[in-house]
Amino acid sequence: MFQLISTIIAVVLVAVDQIIKNWAAETLIKGDIAVIENVLYLKYAENTGVAFSMFSDNRWILIGVTSIMLIAVLAFFLSGKVTEKLEIFSLSLLLSGGVGNLIDRISLGYVIDYIDVRIINFAIFNFADICICIGAFLLCVAVYLSDKKEKEEKIAKENALKEIDSDLEKLFGGENNE
């Protein structure tokens, strides 16, 4: 059930991303909007690369790599092997952000970016990028928590076996009891 809800959320996030990008293309093309003067602006930008415009003008390579990554995430998402809610939700964020940017890259040849943080010298980004970053962060947290839980369960099993061995030794008087 949670996977279905996360899938619906992912679809909604892709739609929100596309709506915002369409608004940015129509509105911000006319000029920047200061949200917080000298700190945060909305500014129209076309990014033919990935983060910080790396790999610019490699549209088809980026489409291919992104598609392969999205197929892998989707396969993992649908495999049934992912059962933790945090992992499921993080994968849905990764999918929604990746699909949102892939739609742009395929249909336009570039990704529309519009969030410009000027208080630091940072790349202009978009809602899909935020989904990807939060999804990646949450996936790291989920993997860490899962590993921690597995280690705790392993230690608990080892302690339970030691306790059983101790109880058996007390009951039967040790190994040399005949």
Side-chain angles (χ1 to χ4, degrees):
M1 182 63 169
F2 188 76
Q3 189 171 12
L4 175 62
I5 293 168
S6 292
T7 302
I8 293 167
I9 290 170
V11 171
V12 168
L13 292 176
V14 170
V16 167
D17 174 64
Q18 292 300 299
I19 290 167
I20 295 170
K21 287 175 179 171
N22 286 332
W23 171 84
E26 292 174 6
T27 306
L28 299 178
I29 198 87
K30 300 170 190 168
D32 301 354
I33 297 174
V35 178
I36 302 172
E37 194 70 34
N38 297 320
V39 176
L40 178 64
Y41 288 77
L42 298 177
K43 175 183 180 171
Y44 180 81
E46 297 175 357
N47 186 354
T48 61
V50 291
F52 302 98
S53 296
M54 292 185 298
F55 309 109
S56 290
D57 300 319
N58 288 298
R59 177 183 184 192
W60 296 108
I61 292 171
L62 293 174
I63 287 171
V65 169
T66 302
S67 297
I68 290 168
M69 290 172 60
L70 286 173
I71 289 168
V73 171
L74 184 61
F76 192 58
F77 184 76
L78 297 175
S79 70
K81 295 179 182 178
V82 183
T83 56
E84 296 296 321
K85 289 181 180 179
L86 186 58
E87 290 174 338
I88 292 169
F89 184 65
S90 65
L91 291 175
S92 71
L93 287 174
L94 288 169
L95 284 169
S96 64
V99 168
N101 282 341
L102 185 62
I103 289 169
D104 283 12
R105 201 171 302 285
I106 291 170
S107 64
L108 303 172
Y110 53 85
V111 172
I112 296 174
D113 288 333
Y114 49 85
I115 302 171
D116 185 10
V117 180
R118 294 185 184 172
I119 195 167
I120 56 173
N121 187 16
F122 197 74
I124 300 175
F125 56 97
N126 61 43
F127 182 74
D129 297 335
I130 294 170
C131 291
I132 292 167
C133 290
I134 293 172
F137 175 76
L138 290 178
L139 186 59
C140 290
V141 169
V143 169
Y144 170 77
L145 293 175
S146 177
D147 286 348
K148 184 178 176 184
K149 182 179 175 183
E150 283 181 27
K151 288 177 185 176
E152 289 171 353
E153 288 173 354
K154 182 179 177 185
I155 289 170
K157 285 179 185 176
E158 288 172 357
N159 288 340
L161 287 174
K162 286 179 186 176
E163 192 174 313
I164 291 170
D165 283 347
S166 175
D167 290 346
L168 287 174
E169 193 172 311
K170 286 178 188 174
L171 185 64
F172 295 109
E175 293 177 16
N176 294 328
N177 189 16
E178 295 179 17

Coordinates of all heavy atoms in Angstrom, one line a residue, residues 104-171:
D104 N 12.3 17.1 -19.7 CA 12.8 18.3 -20.3 C 13.9 18.0 -21.3 O 13.9 18.6 -22.4 CB 13.5 19.2 -19.2 CG 12.5 20.0 -18.4 OD1 11.3 19.7 -18.5 OD2 12.9 20.9 -17.7
R105 N 14.8 17.1 -20.9 CA 16.0 16.8 -21.8 C 15.5 16.2 -23.1 O 16.1 16.6 -24.2 CB 16.9 15.9 -21.1 CG 18.3 15.9 -21.6 CD 19.3 15.2 -20.7 NE 19.4 15.6 -19.4 CZ 20.0 16.7 -18.9 NH1 20.5 17.5 -19.8 NH2 20.1 16.9 -17.6
I106 N 14.5 15.4 -23.1 CA 14.0 14.8 -24.3 C 13.2 15.8 -25.1 O 13.5 15.9 -26.4 CB 13.2 13.5 -24.0 CG1 14.0 12.4 -23.5 CG2 12.4 13.1 -25.2 CD1 13.3 11.2 -22.9
S107 N 12.3 16.5 -24.5 CA 11.4 17.4 -25.3 C 12.1 18.7 -25.7 O 11.7 19.3 -26.7 CB 10.1 17.6 -24.5 OG 10.4 18.3 -23.3
L108 N 13.0 19.2 -24.9 CA 13.5 20.5 -25.1 C 15.0 20.5 -25.5 O 15.5 21.5 -26.1 CB 13.4 21.4 -23.9 CG 12.0 21.6 -23.3 CD1 12.0 22.3 -22.0 CD2 11.1 22.4 -24.3
G109 N 15.7 19.5 -25.1 CA 17.1 19.4 -25.4 C 17.9 20.0 -24.2 O 19.2 20.0 -24.3
Y110 N 17.3 20.5 -23.2 CA 17.9 21.1 -22.0 C 16.9 21.0 -20.9 O 15.8 20.7 -21.0 CB 18.3 22.6 -22.3 CG 17.1 23.4 -22.7 CD1 16.2 24.0 -21.8 CD2 16.9 23.6 -24.1 CE1 15.2 24.7 -22.3 CE2 15.8 24.4 -24.5 CZ 15.0 24.9 -23.6 OH 13.9 25.7 -24.1
V111 N 17.4 21.2 -19.7 CA 16.6 21.2 -18.5 C 16.4 22.6 -18.0 O 17.3 23.4 -18.0 CB 17.3 20.4 -17.3 CG1 16.5 20.5 -16.0 CG2 17.4 18.9 -17.7
I112 N 15.2 23.0 -17.7 CA 14.8 24.3 -17.2 C 15.2 24.4 -15.8 O 14.6 23.6 -14.9 CB 13.4 24.7 -17.5 CG1 13.1 24.7 -19.0 CG2 13.0 26.0 -16.8 CD1 11.6 24.9 -19.3
D113 N 16.0 25.3 -15.4 CA 16.4 25.6 -14.0 C 15.9 27.0 -13.7 O 15.8 27.9 -14.6 CB 17.9 25.6 -13.8 CG 18.4 24.1 -13.9 OD1 17.7 23.2 -13.5 OD2 19.6 23.9 -14.2
Y114 N 15.6 27.3 -12.4 CA 15.1 28.6 -12.1 C 15.3 29.0 -10.6 O 15.1 30.2 -10.3 CB 13.6 28.6 -12.3 CG 12.9 27.4 -11.7 CD1 12.5 27.4 -10.4 CD2 12.6 26.3 -12.5 CE1 11.9 26.3 -9.9 CE2 12.0 25.2 -12.0 CZ 11.7 25.2 -10.6 OH 11.1 24.1 -10.1
I115 N 15.9 28.2 -9.8 CA 16.2 28.6 -8.4 C 17.6 29.1 -8.3 O 18.5 28.3 -8.6 CB 15.9 27.5 -7.4 CG1 14.4 27.1 -7.5 CG2 16.2 27.9 -6.0 CD1 14.1 25.8 -6.7
D116 N 17.8 30.3 -8.0 CA 19.2 30.9 -8.0 C 19.5 31.5 -6.7 O 19.0 32.5 -6.2 CB 19.2 32.1 -9.1 CG 20.6 32.7 -9.2 OD1 21.5 32.1 -8.7 OD2 20.6 33.7 -9.9
V117 N 20.3 30.7 -5.9 CA 20.8 31.1 -4.6 C 22.0 31.9 -4.8 O 23.1 31.4 -5.1 CB 21.0 29.9 -3.7 CG1 21.5 30.3 -2.3 CG2 19.8 29.0 -3.6
R118 N 21.9 33.2 -4.5 CA 23.0 34.2 -4.8 C 23.8 34.5 -3.6 O 24.9 35.1 -3.7 CB 22.5 35.5 -5.4 CG 21.9 35.2 -6.8 CD 21.5 36.5 -7.5 NE 20.9 36.2 -8.7 CZ 20.3 37.1 -9.5 NH1 20.3 38.3 -9.1 NH2 19.7 36.7 -10.6
I119 N 23.4 34.1 -2.4 CA 24.2 34.4 -1.2 C 25.5 33.6 -1.2 O 26.4 34.0 -0.6 CB 23.3 34.1 0.1 CG1 24.0 34.7 1.3 CG2 23.1 32.6 0.3 CD1 23.1 34.8 2.5
I120 N 25.5 32.5 -1.9 CA 26.7 31.7 -2.2 C 26.7 31.5 -3.7 O 25.7 31.6 -4.4 CB 26.7 30.3 -1.5 CG1 25.4 29.5 -1.8 CG2 26.8 30.5 0.0 CD1 25.4 28.1 -1.3
N121 N 27.9 31.2 -4.2 CA 28.1 31.0 -5.6 C 27.7 29.6 -5.9 O 28.5 28.6 -5.8 CB 29.5 31.3 -6.1 CG 29.6 31.2 -7.6 OD1 28.7 31.3 -8.3 ND2 30.9 31.1 -8.0
F122 N 26.4 29.4 -6.2 CA 25.9 28.0 -6.4 C 25.2 27.9 -7.7 O 24.7 28.9 -8.3 CB 24.9 27.7 -5.3 CG 24.6 26.2 -5.1 CD1 25.5 25.4 -4.5 CD2 23.4 25.7 -5.5 CE1 25.3 24.1 -4.3 CE2 23.1 24.4 -5.3 CZ 24.1 23.5 -4.7
A123 N 25.1 26.7 -8.3 CA 24.4 26.5 -9.5 C 22.9 26.7 -9.4 O 22.3 26.6 -8.4 CB 24.6 25.0 -10.0
I124 N 22.3 27.2 -10.5 CA 20.9 27.4 -10.6 C 20.3 26.0 -10.7 O 20.8 25.1 -11.4 CB 20.5 28.3 -11.7 CG1 21.1 29.7 -11.6 CG2 19.0 28.4 -11.9 CD1 20.9 30.6 -12.7
F125 N 19.2 25.7 -10.0 CA 18.6 24.4 -10.0 C 17.1 24.5 -10.0 O 16.5 25.6 -10.2 CB 19.1 23.6 -8.8 CG 18.8 24.2 -7.4 CD1 17.7 23.9 -6.7 CD2 19.7 25.2 -6.9 CE1 17.4 24.5 -5.5 CE2 19.4 25.8 -5.7 CZ 18.3 25.5 -5.0
N126 N 16.4 23.3 -9.9 CA 14.9 23.3 -10.1 C 14.3 22.3 -9.0 O 15.1 21.7 -8.3 CB 14.5 22.9 -11.5 CG 15.0 21.6 -11.9 OD1 15.0 20.6 -11.1 ND2 15.6 21.4 -13.1
F127 N 13.0 22.2 -9.1 CA 12.3 21.3 -8.2 C 12.7 19.9 -8.3 O 12.8 19.2 -7.3 CB 10.8 21.5 -8.4 CG 9.9 20.7 -7.5 CD1 9.8 21.1 -6.1 CD2 9.2 19.6 -7.9 CE1 9.0 20.4 -5.3 CE2 8.4 18.9 -7.1 CZ 8.3 19.2 -5.7
A128 N 12.9 19.4 -9.5 CA 13.3 18.0 -9.8 C 14.6 17.7 -9.1 O 14.9 16.7 -8.5 CB 13.3 17.7 -11.3
D129 N 15.6 18.7 -9.2 CA 16.9 18.6 -8.6 C 16.7 18.4 -7.0 O 17.4 17.6 -6.4 CB 17.8 19.8 -8.9 CG 18.1 19.9 -10.4 OD1 18.0 18.9 -11.1 OD2 18.4 21.0 -10.8
I130 N 15.8 19.2 -6.5 CA 15.5 19.1 -5.0 C 15.0 17.7 -4.7 O 15.5 17.1 -3.7 CB 14.5 20.2 -4.6 CG1 15.2 21.6 -4.8 CG2 14.1 19.9 -3.1 CD1 14.2 22.7 -4.6
C131 N 14.1 17.2 -5.5 CA 13.6 15.8 -5.3 C 14.7 14.8 -5.3 O 14.8 13.9 -4.5 CB 12.5 15.5 -6.3 SG 11.0 16.4 -6.1
I132 N 15.6 14.9 -6.3 CA 16.7 14.0 -6.4 C 17.7 14.1 -5.2 O 18.1 13.0 -4.7 CB 17.5 14.3 -7.7 CG1 16.7 13.9 -9.0 CG2 18.8 13.5 -7.8 CD1 17.2 14.4 -10.3
C133 N 18.0 15.3 -4.8 CA 18.9 15.4 -3.7 C 18.3 14.9 -2.4 O 19.0 14.2 -1.6 CB 19.3 16.9 -3.5 SG 20.4 17.5 -4.8
I134 N 17.1 15.2 -2.1 CA 16.4 14.7 -0.9 C 16.3 13.2 -1.0 O 16.5 12.5 0.0 CB 15.0 15.4 -0.7 CG1 15.2 16.9 -0.4 CG2 14.2 14.7 0.4 CD1 14.0 17.7 -0.3
G135 N 15.9 12.7 -2.2 CA 15.8 11.2 -2.3 C 17.1 10.5 -2.1 O 17.2 9.5 -1.4
A136 N 18.2 11.1 -2.6 CA 19.5 10.5 -2.4 C 19.9 10.5 -1.0 O 20.4 9.5 -0.4 CB 20.5 11.2 -3.3
F137 N 19.7 11.7 -0.3 CA 20.0 11.8 1.1 C 19.2 10.8 1.9 O 19.8 10.1 2.8 CB 19.7 13.2 1.6 CG 19.9 13.4 3.1 CD1 21.2 13.4 3.6 CD2 18.8 13.4 3.9 CE1 21.4 13.6 5.0 CE2 19.0 13.6 5.3 CZ 20.2 13.6 5.8
L138 N 17.9 10.7 1.7 CA 17.0 9.8 2.5 C 17.4 8.3 2.2 O 17.3 7.5 3.1 CB 15.6 10.0 2.1 CG 15.0 11.3 2.7 CD1 13.5 11.5 2.2 CD2 15.1 11.4 4.2
L139 N 17.8 8.0 1.0 CA 18.3 6.7 0.7 C 19.5 6.3 1.4 O 19.6 5.2 2.0 CB 18.5 6.5 -0.8 CG 18.8 5.1 -1.3 CD1 17.7 4.1 -0.9 CD2 19.1 5.0 -2.8
C140 N 20.4 7.3 1.5 CA 21.7 7.0 2.4 C 21.3 6.8 3.8 O 21.8 5.9 4.5 CB 22.6 8.2 2.3 SG 23.4 8.4 0.7
V141 N 20.3 7.6 4.3 CA 19.9 7.4 5.7 C 19.2 6.0 5.9 O 19.5 5.3 6.8 CB 18.9 8.6 6.1 CG1 18.2 8.2 7.5 CG2 19.6 9.9 6.2
A142 N 18.4 5.7 4.9 CA 17.7 4.4 5.0 C 18.7 3.2 5.0 O 18.5 2.3 5.7 CB 16.7 4.3 3.8
V143 N 19.7 3.3 4.1 CA 20.7 2.2 4.0 C 21.5 2.2 5.4 O 21.7 1.1 5.9 CB 21.6 2.4 2.8 CG1 22.8 1.5 2.9 CG2 20.9 2.2 1.5
Y144 N 21.8 3.3 5.9 CA 22.5 3.4 7.2 C 21.7 2.7 8.3 O 22.2 1.9 9.0 CB 22.9 4.8 7.5 CG 23.4 4.9 9.0 CD1 24.7 4.6 9.3 CD2 22.6 5.4 10.0 CE1 25.2 4.7 10.6 CE2 23.0 5.5 11.3 CZ 24.3 5.2 11.6 OH 24.8 5.2 12.9
L145 N 20.4 3.1 8.4 CA 19.6 2.6 9.4 C 19.3 1.1 9.2 O 19.3 0.3 10.2 CB 18.2 3.3 9.4 CG 18.3 4.8 9.8 CD1 16.9 5.4 9.7 CD2 18.8 4.9 11.3
S146 N 19.2 0.6 8.0 CA 19.0 -0.8 7.7 C 20.3 -1.6 8.1 O 20.1 -2.6 8.7 CB 18.8 -1.0 6.2 OG 18.7 -2.3 5.9
D147 N 21.5 -1.1 7.8 CA 22.7 -1.7 8.2 C 22.8 -1.8 9.7 O 23.2 -2.8 10.3 CB 23.9 -1.0 7.6 CG 24.1 -1.3 6.1 OD1 23.4 -2.2 5.6 OD2 24.9 -0.6 5.5
K148 N 22.5 -0.7 10.4 CA 22.5 -0.6 11.8 C 21.6 -1.6 12.4 O 21.9 -2.3 13.4 CB 22.2 0.8 12.3 CG 22.3 1.0 13.8 CD 21.9 2.5 14.1 CE 21.9 2.6 15.6 NZ 21.6 4.0 16.1
K149 N 20.3 -1.7 11.9 CA 19.3 -2.7 12.4 C 19.8 -4.1 12.2 O 19.7 -4.9 13.1 CB 18.0 -2.5 11.6 CG 16.9 -3.3 12.1 CD 15.6 -3.1 11.3 CE 14.5 -4.0 11.6 NZ 13.3 -3.8 10.8
E150 N 20.4 -4.4 11.0 CA 21.0 -5.8 10.8 C 22.1 -6.1 11.8 O 22.1 -7.2 12.3 CB 21.5 -5.9 9.3 CG 20.5 -6.0 8.3 CD 21.1 -6.1 6.9 OE1 22.2 -6.6 6.8 OE2 20.4 -5.7 5.9
K151 N 23.0 -5.2 12.0 CA 24.0 -5.4 13.0 C 23.5 -5.7 14.4 O 23.9 -6.6 15.1 CB 25.0 -4.2 13.0 CG 25.9 -4.2 11.8 CD 26.8 -3.0 11.8 CE 27.6 -2.9 10.5 NZ 28.4 -1.7 10.4
E152 N 22.5 -4.8 14.8 CA 21.9 -5.0 16.1 C 21.2 -6.4 16.2 O 21.2 -7.1 17.2 CB 20.9 -3.9 16.4 CG 21.5 -2.6 16.6 CD 20.5 -1.4 16.7 OE1 19.3 -1.6 16.4 OE2 21.0 -0.3 17.1
E153 N 20.5 -6.8 15.1 CA 19.8 -8.1 15.1 C 20.8 -9.2 15.2 O 20.6 -10.2 15.9 CB 18.9 -8.3 13.9 CG 17.7 -7.4 13.9 CD 16.9 -7.4 12.6 OE1 17.4 -8.0 11.6 OE2 15.8 -6.8 12.6
K154 N 22.0 -9.1 14.5 CA 23.0 -10.1 14.5 C 23.6 -10.2 15.9 O 23.8 -11.3 16.4 CB 24.1 -9.7 13.5 CG 25.2 -10.8 13.4 CD 26.3 -10.4 12.4 CE 27.4 -11.4 12.4 NZ 28.5 -11.0 11.5
I155 N 23.9 -9.1 16.6 CA 24.4 -9.1 17.9 C 23.4 -9.7 18.9 O 23.8 -10.5 19.8 CB 24.8 -7.7 18.4 CG1 26.0 -7.2 17.6 CG2 25.0 -7.6 19.9 CD1 26.4 -5.7 17.8
A156 N 22.1 -9.4 18.7 CA 21.1 -10.0 19.6 C 21.0 -11.5 19.4 O 20.9 -12.2 20.4 CB 19.7 -9.4 19.3
K157 N 21.1 -12.0 18.2 CA 21.1 -13.4 17.9 C 22.3 -14.1 18.6 O 22.2 -15.2 19.2 CB 21.1 -13.7 16.4 CG 19.7 -13.5 15.8 CD 19.8 -13.8 14.3 CE 18.5 -13.4 13.6 NZ 18.5 -13.6 12.2
E158 N 23.5 -13.5 18.4 CA 24.7 -14.0 19.0 C 24.6 -14.1 20.5 O 25.0 -15.1 21.1 CB 25.9 -13.2 18.6 CG 26.3 -13.4 17.1 CD 27.4 -12.4 16.7 OE1 27.8 -11.5 17.5 OE2 27.8 -12.5 15.5
N159 N 24.1 -13.0 21.1 CA 23.9 -13.0 22.6 C 22.9 -14.1 23.0 O 23.1 -14.7 24.0 CB 23.4 -11.6 23.0 CG 24.6 -10.6 23.0 OD1 25.7 -11.0 22.9 ND2 24.2 -9.3 22.9
A160 N 21.8 -14.3 22.2 CA 20.8 -15.3 22.6 C 21.5 -16.7 22.5 O 21.2 -17.5 23.4 CB 19.6 -15.2 21.6
L161 N 22.3 -16.9 21.5 CA 23.0 -18.2 21.4 C 23.9 -18.4 22.5 O 24.0 -19.5 23.1 CB 23.7 -18.3 20.0 CG 22.8 -18.5 18.8 CD1 23.7 -18.4 17.5 CD2 22.1 -19.8 18.9
K162 N 24.6 -17.4 22.9 CA 25.6 -17.5 24.1 C 24.8 -17.8 25.3 O 25.2 -18.6 26.1 CB 26.3 -16.2 24.2 CG 27.4 -16.0 23.2 CD 28.2 -14.7 23.4 CE 29.1 -14.4 22.3 NZ 29.8 -13.1 22.5
E163 N 23.6 -17.2 25.5 CA 22.8 -17.5 26.7 C 22.3 -18.9 26.7 O 22.3 -19.6 27.7 CB 21.6 -16.5 26.7 CG 20.9 -16.5 28.0 CD 19.8 -15.4 28.0 OE1 20.1 -14.2 27.7 OE2 18.7 -15.7 28.5
I164 N 21.9 -19.4 25.5 CA 21.4 -20.8 25.4 C 22.6 -21.7 25.7 O 22.4 -22.7 26.4 CB 20.9 -21.1 24.0 CG1 19.5 -20.3 23.8 CG2 20.7 -22.6 23.7 CD1 19.0 -20.3 22.4
D165 N 23.8 -21.5 25.2 CA 25.0 -22.3 25.5 C 25.2 -22.3 27.0 O 25.5 -23.4 27.5 CB 26.2 -21.8 24.7 CG 26.2 -22.2 23.2 OD1 25.4 -23.0 22.8 OD2 27.0 -21.6 22.5
S166 N 25.1 -21.1 27.6 CA 25.4 -21.0 29.0 C 24.4 -21.8 29.8 O 24.7 -22.5 30.7 CB 25.4 -19.6 29.4 OG 25.5 -19.4 30.8
D167 N 23.1 -21.7 29.4 CA 22.0 -22.4 30.1 C 22.2 -24.0 29.9 O 22.0 -24.7 30.8 CB 20.7 -22.0 29.5 CG 20.3 -20.6 30.0 OD1 20.9 -20.1 30.9 OD2 19.3 -20.1 29.3
L168 N 22.6 -24.4 28.7 CA 22.8 -25.8 28.4 C 24.0 -26.3 29.3 O 24.0 -27.4 29.8 CB 23.1 -26.1 27.0 CG 21.8 -26.0 26.1 CD1 22.3 -26.1 24.6 CD2 20.8 -27.0 26.4
E169 N 25.0 -25.5 29.4 CA 26.2 -25.9 30.2 C 25.8 -26.1 31.6 O 26.2 -27.0 32.3 CB 27.3 -24.8 30.0 CG 28.6 -25.3 30.5 CD 29.8 -24.4 30.2 OE1 29.9 -24.0 29.0 OE2 30.5 -24.0 31.1
K170 N 25.0 -25.2 32.1 CA 24.6 -25.2 33.5 C 23.7 -26.5 33.7 O 23.8 -27.2 34.7 CB 23.8 -24.0 33.9 CG 24.6 -22.8 34.1 CD 23.8 -21.5 34.4 CE 24.6 -20.3 34.4 NZ 23.7 -19.1 34.6
L171 N 22.8 -26.7 32.8 CA 21.9 -27.8 32.9 C 22.6 -29.2 32.8 O 22.2 -30.1 33.6 CB 20.8 -27.7 31.7 CG 19.7 -28.7 31.7 CD1 18.8 -28.5 33.0 CD2 18.8 -28.5 30.5

